[in-house]
Amino acid sequence: MGRVLRETLKPSTSSASATTTSTSVTETVNGSHQFKITGYSLSKGSGIGKYIASDTFMVGGYLWAIYFYPDGKSPEDNAAYISLFIALASEGTDVRALFELTLLDQSGKERHKVHSHFGRTLESGPYTLKYRGSM
């Protein structure tokens, strides 16, 4: 059983002015995830809109997943492009994130930047994911 202690403060009758301050601290959490697709060439031709998903991983207290569409996500891609997304995999509202997606070729030497939010202007700020499944 717990105890509650209560202290009563009496207002000061002094006429001296008081100065107050406050601080807001925004934490930034960094993380990364490597999603390796073994046998990539076998996944090519699986069909537009078909994807391969990574395992979920945690960054900043939220679960995330990477979705890779070898033939593109939509018919406009005409199977000529791949599509790559990061998605919020846990419940959350207005999760703000900056992210960068890169592809590494099979030799492990060539890095190809696919998309980065780190170059965004301060006014546009981080990307906001509104709900589970937002990409």
Side-chain angles (χ1 to χ4, degrees):
M1 180 171 231
R3 273 180 29 180
V4 176
L5 298 176
R6 192 163 137 181
E7 183 179 338
T8 306
L9 298 175
K10 295 182 181 175
S12 170
T13 56
S14 167
S15 63
S17 64
T19 301
T20 61
T21 63
S22 63
T23 303
S24 171
V25 178
T26 302
E27 291 183 348
T28 301
V29 178
N30 293 315
S32 66
H33 181 78
Q34 183 178 15
F35 178 31
K36 184 176 182 179
I37 300 171
T38 304
Y40 162 74
S41 60
L42 296 174
S43 66
K44 196 74 177 145
S46 60
I48 295 170
K50 304 242 186 218
Y51 63 86
I52 301 167
S54 71
D55 289 338
T56 58
F57 54 95
M58 179 140 334
V59 175
Y62 293 96
L63 287 173
W64 303 89
I66 296 171
Y67 289 83
F68 174 70
Y69 295 78
D71 295 318
K73 186 175 185 227
S74 62
E76 296 84 41
D77 297 331
N78 201 22
Y81 301 98
I82 65 147
S83 296
L84 189 62
F85 295 91
I86 188 162
L88 183 61
S90 61
E91 295 301 326
T93 57
D94 294 343
V95 177
R96 293 166 44 94
L98 293 171
F99 57 89
E100 181 171 276
L101 299 169
T102 57
L103 295 176
L104 184 65
D105 71 11
Q106 62 189 1
S107 74
K109 296 175 184 170
E110 297 277 338
R111 295 182 77 86
H112 305 278
K113 190 184 299 183
V114 175
H115 187 77
S116 177
H117 276 264
F118 290 105
R120 295 180 77 172
T121 63
L122 188 59
E123 294 78 33
S124 59
Y127 188 77
T128 301
L129 296 122
K130 299 271 184 195
Y131 52 87
R132 181 180 180 182
S134 294
M135 292 185 179

